[in-house]
Amino acid sequence: MSSPTPQPAPPSRALRWAVAGSVVVMIAAGGLFYYASQLAASKRQANHNEITVTIHGHACEPNALTVPAGHASFRIVNRSDRAVEWEILDGVLVVEERENIAPGLSQVINANLQPGDYAITCGLLSNPRGTLRVTPTAQSDAQAKAKPSMVAFIGPLSEFRVYLSAQGSALVKATGALRHAIEAGDLAQAQALYVPAREAYQRLAPAAQRLAELDNAINARADYFEQREQDPAFSGFHRLEYGLFQQRSLDGLTPIAQRLVNDVTTLKQQLLAQSLPPEQLVGSVVRNLNSLADVRAASGEEERYSHIDLNGFAANLQVAHKVVDLMRPLLNKSAADLLPTIDSTLAAFDSELQGFKVDGGFARYDSITADQRKQIADKAKALAAALDGIDPALGLSGLQ
Amino acid sequence: MKKSIIALSLLMTLSPLSAFAATAPLDLVGPVSDYKLYVTEEIAELVTQTQAFTAAINQGDLATAKKLYAPTRVHYESIEPIAELFSDLDASIDSRVDDHEKGVTAEDFTGFHRIEYALFSQNSTQGLEALTAKLNTDVNDLKTRVDGLTFPPEKVVGGAAALLEEVAATKISGEEDRYSHTDLYDFQGNIDGAKKIVDLFRGQIEKQDKAFLAKVDKNFATVDKILAKYKTLDGGFQTYDKVKENDRKALVGPVNTLAEDLSTLRGKLGLN
């Protein structure tokens, strides 16, 4: 009876360590679990904001939505009997969409929405359009005032590269036609075709001027050569102009024209290969207009043999217009106060030039008086000054 | 505070991406503008070929009209990420009968699929003058609008996935061209359009994730190989009902994987 109850053996040292170890692991696991559940909770929070829209046969439920600006998630449930779509529209343009949502199924649309009123297409094309009102938030107001990031310039810069490509092709084509007329010995035709080729060049001039050496081969005036017109190195457009309009002779122009075609072809390729940062897009147009205002308008030196300077000025203005159009959405958002001056100086320069139209073409520049030339220069200068305000307003030079 | 430091250091050790620099926005200008040049060329083709297609209809040449239907609209299918941005034109050019409550008799059912119905289901070129005139007007209108559009970079990059989702939803089932069964043309058009996007951004994607690119290329090759089986001698495709069940099934995997993978492209290039 007095058999001694067996005492539990004292826990071995190893076991003690094991227990201690597992406690540590448990605490760590608990910590991880807590961390994971926090993560999951924050995810749920995101899903919690999901807005469910149900597409019925003839309408959406709800069909009028109001959400705060920023990221929004819509779960689109298709309770109609056909595969249909749900789109957020800004005018006719689709902002976000889901197509082919199968009957009985649902899909999620994630959108990053700017404040404003949008329309919704909802299932069948004959169904009534829904409305989506996106209300501003403190964050969206701050974003609207903030200067744009580099990503915002991808679109405008891409569009300008498309413009360079199209104008580059036009230049190659027009210069090729000029060469053919010279080769064919047709002086009158060559004189006529010099004009569209120069216009095409002047639409590229702001960008082309970045490529100094190539641009000199294409566009250098006689003054840049030691023996001026008689210098054997004098080539490019103005050498052709000298032959066509001053000497009225095609002698020796064929090799010059052939080289020019090669050079403008290379120009197009190099313009497309160059990376053009946003500050250069605006800066090159400002420099081009300043050279017009400070030098070319008064002297008429650029087209001194043909006197078609006004065609060139109008082409320079077209590039300026293009660049403003490309920057307009960003200006509207972040520096809208600049736009009235930019638009009025654009219009003033344009109407000044249009005033010199005769029979659908521009007057010869040797018929333009000194006073009129000063007016042209002033208008170009005012436009250059207005465009010069874009860089600081959008922070182009300090973009990240 | 501490938690976020732990999370951050975890992230930094676990994320292989942290070793790579993000894509510089200016590096995307070249590919985005090259994509616009591609879209511009495709639309020029769409306009020219729509003219020839509708001329055949107006001359009552049913055989030629049927032959030109699929090769014409493929130029729409390849650029859908941009074309679809214009909701009104997308509806009048490319809506399917299901989009209209009254079906084929709906007055606003116009465009390719309404004409497809007349040519292939009714076997007739009669009374289509208004529809052919409208289709020409619409594709010209599309050209003008695309010329004036600054392409949103996220729509361009996101377009690759959108095209594959379109394939997954409507092409494998064969419902897009239900009267003509010329779905394989559209199928190839969607795939080519998506591949074009990947090719234009290849350099930037490669810098971010080489393995991803290899996987995408492999799946494109698999899809192309299956589609190639059904090519005809004149460069066209057999009708969709000829596609064997095992090939339809074999397409599902790579198409879905491509759609899923390509949906991460925007994020990879810093455009989310």
Side-chain angles (χ1 to χ4, degrees):
Chain A
M1 286 300 292
S2 64
S3 62
T5 30
Q7 291 290 314
S12 76
R13 181 170 295 204
L15 188 60
R16 246 184 289 159
W17 276 113
V19 169
S22 63
V23 167
V24 171
V25 168
M26 273 176 68
I27 292 170
L32 270 176
F33 177 76
Y34 173 76
Y35 175 62
S37 64
Q38 287 294 306
L39 264 183
S42 64
K43 263 192 187 159
R44 261 201 306 280
Q45 192 61 37
N47 289 341
H48 184 72
N49 290 333
E50 201 171 88
I51 297 155
T52 301
V53 176
T54 307
I55 303 178
H56 297 291
H58 292 98
C60 281
E61 178 65 40
N63 211 26
L65 297 162
T66 301
V67 300
H71 282 283
S73 292
F74 301 91
R75 177 169 292 279
I76 313 302
V77 184
N78 184 1
R79 293 256 176 272
S80 80
D81 54 3
R82 301 188 195 180
V84 290
E85 63 182 354
W86 193 84
E87 300 170 321
I88 302 172
L89 300 181
D90 184 2
V92 297
L93 269 183
V94 173
V95 179
E96 287 294 343
E97 66 174 347
R98 268 293 168 276
E99 293 196 306
N100 307 304
I101 306 167
L105 295 185
S106 72
Q107 293 214 22
V108 174
I109 297 182
N110 290 306
N112 190 6
L113 297 166
Q114 304 289 326
D117 285 317
Y118 301 84
I120 304 285
T121 51
C122 180
L124 294 175
L125 293 169
S126 52
N127 286 354
R129 288 266 170 92
T131 58
L132 171 65
R133 166 156 295 182
V134 179
T135 53
T137 61
Q139 201 188 356
S140 74
D141 282 342
Q143 272 173 2
K145 283 191 199 109
K147 291 177 176 172
S149 67
M150 190 64 102
V151 172
F153 291 90
I154 299 173
L157 288 170
S158 301
E159 191 58 21
F160 192 69
R161 189 167 175 272
V162 170
Y163 178 80
L164 291 179
S165 172
Q167 297 303 329
S169 300
L171 174 62
V172 171
K173 203 173 156 191
T175 310
L178 172 60
R179 188 190 94 177
H180 283 304
I182 289 171
E183 283 171 347
D186 190 340
L187 178 64
Q189 178 73 350
Q191 286 174 333
L193 290 179
Y194 176 78
V195 182
R198 283 301 290 170
E199 289 174 335
Y201 170 79
Q202 290 286 15
R203 280 191 282 270
L204 292 172
Q209 276 151 14
R210 298 177 71 218
L211 303 164
E213 203 175 331
L214 183 58
D215 195 47
N216 276 337
I218 293 170
N219 194 45
R221 305 199 256 291
D223 319 73
Y224 297 167
F225 300 91
E226 200 179 347
Q227 302 170 51
R228 298 182 181 268
E229 281 86 352
Q230 270 60 53
D231 201 303
F234 180 37
S235 68
F237 270 121
H238 295 299
R239 175 65 186 85
L240 293 183
E241 186 200 7
Y242 175 66
L244 295 177
F245 295 92
Q246 181 81 22
Q247 301 183 304
R248 297 177 188 277
S249 157
L250 297 169
D251 282 354
L253 296 190
T254 295
I256 310 266
Q258 284 169 346
R259 183 179 157 199
L260 183 60
V261 170
N262 287 340
D263 285 344
V264 296
T265 307
T266 309
L267 177 69
K268 183 194 166 186
Q269 288 163 355
Q270 292 204 3
L271 286 176
L272 293 185
Q274 293 287 324
S275 172
L276 184 74
E279 77 270 20
Q280 284 293 330
L281 176 65
V282 178
S284 62
V285 169
V286 170
R287 277 196 298 281
N288 180 260
L289 289 168
N290 276 331
S291 88
L292 201 173
D294 298 340
V295 181
R296 294 185 284 146
S299 66
E301 64 179 45
E302 184 150 35
E303 310 286 352
R304 67 186 66 166
Y305 319 110
S306 63
H307 307 293
I308 61 157
D309 302 75
L310 287 170
N311 298 66
F313 298 167
N316 290 159
L317 173 60
Q318 282 175 23
V319 199
H321 224 126
K322 181 75 192 177
V323 169
V324 170
D325 284 345
L326 293 178
M327 302 300 262
R328 190 174 295 277
L330 295 171
L331 289 168
N332 252 328
K333 197 163 165 258
S334 306
D337 53 325
L338 292 186
L339 277 170
T341 313
I342 290 173
D343 284 332
S344 66
T345 50
L346 271 174
F349 188 25
D350 188 41
S351 70
E352 180 71 28
L353 294 179
Q354 293 305 317
F356 298 113
K357 277 259 171 92
V358 197
D359 299 332
F362 283 107
R364 282 169 56 107
Y365 208 59
D366 51 357
S367 72
I368 308 297
T369 67
D371 275 354
Q372 290 170 324
R373 292 182 182 201
K374 176 149 194 326
Q375 283 298 313
I376 292 170
D378 288 349
K379 299 293 193 300
K381 196 80 193 164
L383 176 57
L387 297 184
D388 219 12
I390 295 178
D391 187 326
L394 293 184
L396 300 186
S397 293
L399 280 173
Q400 303 272 323
Chain B
M1 184 69 180
K2 215 173 196 173
K3 215 165 54 189
S4 62
I5 290 169
I6 294 169
L8 195 70
S9 56
L10 255 174
L11 213 68
M12 284 176 68
T13 1
L14 295 179
S15 162
L17 281 183
S18 58
F20 297 89
T23 304
L26 286 188
D27 288 348
L28 300 178
V29 169
V32 170
S33 50
D34 281 339
Y35 185 66
K36 178 157 185 179
L37 294 173
Y38 163 77
V39 170
T40 306
E41 280 169 26
E42 286 292 302
I43 293 192
E45 282 298 313
L46 177 68
V47 167
T48 318
Q49 296 194 25
T50 299
Q51 233 157 19
F53 168 58
T54 53
I57 297 172
N58 295 341
Q59 287 156 17
D61 185 349
L62 182 64
T64 304
K66 280 184 171 180
K67 216 173 85 187
L68 293 181
Y69 168 76
T72 300
R73 55 175 273 102
V74 76
H75 298 289
Y76 189 85
E77 291 289 318
S78 59
I79 55 153
E80 275 200 319
I82 295 303
E84 279 180 358
L85 290 178
F86 302 100
S87 62
D88 54 338
L89 288 178
D90 191 39
S92 65
I93 294 173
D94 196 38
S95 68
R96 274 162 283 161
V97 64
D98 319 73
D99 298 323
H100 301 273
E101 189 181 1
K102 292 182 180 150
V104 287
T105 59
E107 237 169 60
D108 59 352
F109 181 29
T110 60
F112 277 113
H113 295 299
R114 173 63 185 81
I115 294 174
E116 180 199 7
Y117 170 73
L119 297 180
F120 292 90
S121 184
Q122 301 183 304
N123 261 307
S124 165
T125 57
Q126 295 305 302
L128 299 179
E129 290 80 4
L131 287 168
T132 55
K134 177 151 177 59
L135 185 60
N136 274 307
T137 311
D138 285 345
V139 295
N140 273 300
D141 194 2
L142 178 65
K143 180 180 160 27
T144 310
R145 291 201 213 172
V146 169
D147 283 346
L149 178 74
T150 296
F151 282 20
E154 70 280 4
K155 295 285 182 202
V156 174
V157 172
L163 283 162
L164 263 299
E165 278 162 23
E166 166 104 11
V167 169
T170 65
K171 300 307 186 306
I172 291 181
S173 62
E175 68 171 74
E176 172 104 32
D177 297 293
R178 65 188 63 177
Y179 312 114
S180 61
H181 307 295
T182 55
D183 306 75
L184 287 179
Y185 286 81
D186 292 10
F187 201 133
Q188 187 78 61
N190 289 158
I191 294 290
D192 289 349
K195 222 163 41 179
K196 181 79 193 177
I197 294 171
V198 171
D199 283 340
L200 287 175
F201 292 90
R202 180 166 292 274
Q204 288 74 30
I205 304 168
E206 200 162 26
K207 273 189 209 154
Q208 300 298 321
D209 195 342
K210 242 182 169 155
F212 169 86
L213 199 57
K215 186 180 171 207
V216 165
D217 283 343
K218 193 168 152 263
N219 280 317
F220 269 133
T222 308
V223 172
D224 274 342
K225 207 170 147 193
I226 297 174
L227 291 179
K229 288 191 197 173
Y230 297 95
K231 277 212 171 126
T232 52
L233 288 175
D234 62 355
F237 282 99
Q238 295 178 31
T239 52
Y240 200 66
D241 43 297
K242 302 282 192 319
V243 180
K244 294 193 194 80
E245 194 54 35
N246 62 333
D247 279 334
R248 291 190 194 206
K249 275 187 189 150
L251 284 166
V252 173
V255 163
N256 283 337
T257 310
L258 277 171
E260 226 167 86
D261 285 347
L262 293 176
S263 71
T264 66
L265 214 49
R266 269 167 63 158
K268 282 191 195 301
L269 298 181
L271 291 173
N272 267 348

